[in-house]
Amino acid sequence: METVNRKLVSVKRIRDIQPIEGADKIELAFIDGWQCVTAKDNGFKVNDLVLYCEIDTVLPEHEETEFLRPRNFRIRTIRLKSKLSQGLIFPLSVIQKIVPDFTDQHMSMLDVGHDVTQLIGATKYEAPIPACLGGQIEGYFPNKVPKTDAERCQNLVGEISKYKELGIEFVATEKLDGSSASFMLIDDVFKVCSRNLDLRETEGNTFWQVARKNDVEAKMRFFAETHNIKEFAIQGELVGEGVQKNKYKLKGHDVYLFNAFNIDTQTYFTWSEFAELIDITGLKQVPVIMYQYNIIDDDVNDIDSLLSFAEGKSVLCNDTEREGVVFKSKTINNIRSSSFGQILFKAISNKFLLKYDE
């Protein structure tokens, strides 16, 4: 059920190649909404099928990836010759070097969009969990609730064009750099979860401390009773001391909600339903950058414009670059790219990545 994108490494087509002024050995290759610096002697051409590895991918140790060892094999956002480079591209033949039993017949079947993340043993980078967020484990993240991780806008060039055609309105909220937290009522049991785990209530566990400080369980039970809901979840970002170096300079810890999920109907709350929940419970929500964001009305014509919109100072701390912006459809949608009735994507600030991505 989880909604986390796992296409970290996939087959893509080069849509453009451009020279870099003052550079004889490297050039810019464009893949969907991404751009990455690549060596000219790779011989890539426009329309070539390549293996594209997204930022925050951790590649397996192999002769072909040895140059990434100083970075612990993690792909990051960097600048080369003043050009932003996000991701790596390899010829498709690299697959057979990493996975020798991947036959020529298998190779001939590869096409745009094929996911080879698991095939080559790539994983997604996860920041180390601070000690204050650890604790005893009750179990894995419940499968009744989708995990949270919006798709990056660079992977949705075609979909975003469709949203413009349909005139879909979004709420644009600040993406906070913290630790994912979910609170749930399942089978009349209150659960507190990190991104991947169901946590047992123990002394010193920050997730549970925040839940008890904010009286989350009682507020959720009241909302469920008054709205005839048996099971639901609320999800947010836990921020504060010891979390992602506390970029927002907060004292203590708190959680800012960004979503609510009706387990009974397997749909996300609409924005108005979510706003009602916030109003009734008094819990905090992530900062809203724009309540009525219509892509076509705001003259956003390409991915670069979305990425530019993502840049700015955090509402929580005006000395800190915000991580980015999350765009959430205001109403339930049944188009193909929606997930549990909701269209959700994010634009991560490149200023943030270049400053804080360590």
Side-chain angles (χ1 to χ4, degrees):
M1 168 172 295
E2 67 181 75
T3 60
V4 178
N5 173 48
R6 293 301 178 191
K7 282 191 177 183
L8 302 173
V9 184
S10 59
V11 179
K12 300 282 189 180
R13 193 179 298 279
I14 296 178
R15 66 175 177 84
D16 194 15
I17 291 178
Q18 294 181 6
I20 298 175
E21 186 176 354
D24 296 326
K25 296 183 178 181
I26 56 176
E27 57 191 358
L28 268 182
F30 294 84
I31 312 287
D32 290 341
W34 300 98
Q35 67 177 45
C36 53
V37 174
T38 186
K40 284 186 178 180
D41 59 14
N42 283 329
F44 292 130
K45 303 184 298 295
V46 174
N47 290 325
D48 277 356
L49 288 179
V50 294
L51 203 62
Y52 175 71
C53 310
E54 192 174 304
I55 55 175
D56 277 343
T57 298
V58 180
L59 292 175
E61 296 186 28
H62 190 272
E63 180 182 353
E64 298 293 327
T65 62
E66 182 61 29
F67 67 96
L68 288 171
R69 183 174 293 278
R71 304 177 192 171
N72 295 317
F73 299 94
R74 177 188 168 198
I75 300 172
R76 303 181 181 182
T77 295
I78 59 174
R79 281 193 187 277
L80 292 170
K81 289 288 186 179
S82 78
K83 296 298 183 180
L84 198 70
S85 182
Q86 294 184 301
L88 287 174
I89 56 175
F90 294 95
L92 294 186
S93 59
V94 164
I95 298 175
Q96 289 182 304
K97 294 179 181 179
I98 297 176
V99 188
D101 59 354
F102 196 74
T103 67
D104 290 342
Q105 183 179 1
H106 289 141
M107 290 288 293
S108 67
M109 297 172 65
L110 292 175
D111 202 353
V112 174
H114 277 145
D115 182 8
V116 298
T117 305
Q118 292 185 343
L119 175 68
I120 69 169
T123 58
K124 182 176 180 179
Y125 172 77
E126 297 283 356
I129 299 175
C132 66
L133 300 185
Q136 297 181 24
I137 300 168
E138 190 69 33
Y140 291 110
F141 192 94
N143 61 13
K144 287 186 174 183
V145 179
K147 290 183 182 180
T148 60
D149 195 2
E151 180 65 282
R152 293 177 185 264
C153 63
Q154 292 98 323
N155 291 325
L156 300 173
V157 175
E159 288 85 347
I160 289 172
S161 295
K162 185 67 173 179
Y163 305 156
K164 289 173 64 174
E165 291 176 10
L166 295 174
I168 294 174
E169 291 183 349
F170 294 86
V171 177
T173 61
E174 180 177 346
K175 187 180 187 309
L176 298 179
D177 186 30
S179 188
S180 177
S182 296
F183 309 97
M184 310 175 189
L185 286 177
I186 298 179
D187 295 328
D188 203 36
V189 176
F190 178 64
K191 293 180 176 292
V192 174
C193 301
S194 62
R195 177 176 295 281
N196 296 309
L197 300 171
D198 180 359
L199 301 171
R200 184 173 300 160
E201 184 171 13
T202 54
E203 185 177 355
N205 181 269
T206 303
F207 288 95
W208 273 97
Q209 287 177 340
V210 168
R212 294 309 185 197
K213 180 186 77 170
N214 290 290
D215 205 16
V216 175
E217 180 178 3
K219 291 175 179 178
M220 288 185 68
R221 290 189 181 279
F222 175 77
F223 187 85
E225 181 179 352
T226 55
H227 289 72
N228 195 30
I229 298 175
K230 291 183 180 180
E231 297 184 329
F232 80 108
I234 56 178
Q235 299 174 308
E237 203 76 7
L238 188 148
V239 294
E241 294 174 301
V243 182
Q244 303 292 5
K245 299 185 178 180
N246 193 17
K247 298 178 180 67
Y248 309 108
K249 303 176 184 179
L250 302 173
K251 290 187 176 181
H253 300 91
D254 216 333
V255 66
Y256 290 80
L257 302 179
F258 52 70
N259 241 340
F261 185 74
N262 188 326
I263 298 173
D264 300 340
T265 62
Q266 287 291 289
T267 57
Y268 283 105
F269 284 32
T270 64
W271 179 258
S272 61
E273 291 169 342
F274 177 72
E276 182 184 8
L277 180 145
I278 294 297
D279 184 57
I280 290 174
T281 62
L283 296 170
K284 294 179 179 177
Q285 70 177 76
V286 291
V288 176
I289 306 301
M290 187 177 293
Y291 280 100
Q292 188 164 317
Y293 189 98
N294 189 313
I295 295 176
I296 195 168
D297 286 347
D298 289 329
D299 196 28
V300 176
N301 297 316
D302 51 33
I303 299 301
D304 288 342
S305 297
L306 285 169
L307 294 174
S308 177
F309 182 78
E311 295 179 355
K313 298 299 183 181
S314 171
V315 173
L316 299 189
C317 178
N318 59 16
D319 293 331
T320 299
E321 294 292 331
R322 66 177 177 230
E323 185 181 4
V325 174
V326 175
F327 301 88
K328 180 191 302 186
S329 57
K330 297 184 72 173
T331 57
I332 294 293
N333 291 271
N334 295 316
I335 66 175
R336 183 179 177 183
S337 55
S338 66
S339 177
F340 303 101
Q342 182 181 78
I343 299 173
L344 188 71
F345 66 92
K346 64 189 177 186
I348 302 299
S349 164
N350 288 323
K351 279 188 178 180
F352 177 92
L353 291 175
L354 291 169
K355 183 174 182 179
Y356 299 114
D357 193 18
E358 301 175 352

